[in-house]
Amino acid sequence: MKVPRAVWRFARGFVHALAGLASVVFMFPRMSEAQRQERVQAWSCGMLGVMGIALQVRGTPPGAGPMLLAANHISWLDILVMHAARHCRFVAKSEVRHWPLIGTLATGAGTLYIERESRRDAMRVVHHMAESLKAGDILAVFPEGTTSDGVTLLPFHANLLQAAISADAPVQPVALQFIDTASGEASLTPCYIDDDTLVGSIWRTLSGPPITAVVSYGAPEFARGRGRRAWAADLREAVDALRR
């Protein structure tokens, strides 16, 4: 009996995820930071391949930090796709930490977690981000604060940009898109919005037609006297231009 493509991809993806978990638990403690970053990027590229998702990178990813990447947010795939394009440390909602398997992998990749409803926690994370940027890290945030359908672009929240202002670090706009590989048209298959469940979105992605993840890097920019709200609005325009 022929095994459905989605089942085969899910099985291979699960095995690949377990291999990543083993690396985090047993190998990461003995690795340098550079080696861990290389392993995360290679693992992410491998996972996209297992899932049948092609990767297309446009523009120039940051060669080194400090750099804060500001990207639009479409799917649970976004972190995986950006890691495959260029390793970075993400700032993610605290719930991700508790997701089975995914949480352990995200933590191993250096993710910073934030309680979205807590103003005090936001201040803590901004301080931690500023210190990481001063240390030369590459961080990534999703200023929309939640996922969208990839067609519309939600307003950018400005709070986390304070870290770049405090560290006098540049921000690089990044546009994420998912397209149908055959037609080149935008694909809604990997969206994770409204009533979508994580399991349902994963299954839809695995069982749907082949897609390509497109990561477009814009030009890095400094605040240059702009407040965080004005800067957030300008970065949103830059990301929107990259999508077009």
Side-chain angles (χ1 to χ4, degrees):
M1 183 177 67
K2 185 177 180 180
V3 178
R5 179 180 60 185
V7 174
W8 179 242
R9 285 179 175 173
F10 181 84
R12 292 179 62 199
F14 185 70
V15 171
H16 192 72
L18 290 179
L21 179 63
S23 292
V24 169
V25 174
F26 299 111
M27 299 178 66
F28 273 28
R30 302 193 301 271
M31 289 181 169
S32 68
E33 180 61 29
Q35 289 173 326
R36 287 195 292 267
Q37 291 181 10
E38 290 176 2
R39 180 58 63 93
V40 169
Q41 185 171 7
W43 180 89
S44 300
C45 289
M47 180 60 86
L48 290 180
V50 165
M51 298 174 68
I53 299 173
L55 176 66
Q56 183 180 130
V57 177
R58 300 173 180 171
T60 305
M67 184 70 72
L68 179 61
L69 306 177
N72 60 311
H73 198 10
I74 301 172
S75 170
W76 52 274
L77 274 172
D78 294 346
I79 291 178
L80 181 66
V81 167
M82 289 185 67
H83 271 320
R86 207 297 179 203
H87 179 273
C88 51
R89 297 183 67 192
F90 277 91
V91 179
K93 60 183 181 181
S94 58
E95 293 94 319
V96 173
R97 188 203 304 262
H98 305 293
W99 287 359
L101 190 58
I102 295 175
T104 303
L105 294 171
T107 300
T111 299
L112 305 176
Y113 296 104
I114 182 172
E115 297 284 348
R116 291 188 298 179
E117 306 303 322
S118 172
R119 181 177 180 84
R120 177 177 296 179
D121 196 58
M123 294 175 63
R124 175 191 66 82
V125 171
V126 166
H127 177 74
H128 195 171
M129 289 173 60
E131 291 300 312
S132 295
L133 289 170
K134 290 176 183 177
D137 285 349
I138 299 175
L139 305 182
V141 296
F142 299 117
E144 290 173 289
T146 188
T147 51
S148 70
D149 58 10
V151 178
T152 56
L153 191 61
L154 302 176
F156 275 18
H157 298 287
N159 291 348
L160 297 182
L161 292 180
Q162 184 60 48
I165 294 175
S166 299
D168 192 26
V171 177
Q172 186 168 14
V174 181
L176 301 177
Q177 296 168 287
F178 294 97
I179 61 175
D180 182 277
T181 303
S183 68
E185 299 295 326
S187 172
L188 300 180
T189 300
C191 288
Y192 182 38
I193 56 174
D194 299 331
D195 296 327
D196 287 336
T197 64
L198 180 60
V199 172
S201 180
I202 291 174
W203 185 256
R204 188 172 63 240
T205 301
L206 294 177
S207 59
I211 59 175
T212 297
V214 181
V215 187
S216 301
Y217 292 90
E221 57 182 70
F222 285 86
R224 302 196 185 283
R226 287 173 291 185
R228 64 193 187 197
R229 289 182 177 81
W231 199 7
D234 290 344
L235 286 167
R236 182 183 181 277
E237 289 185 6
V239 170
D240 199 28
L242 287 170
R243 299 190 316 148
R244 300 180 188 281

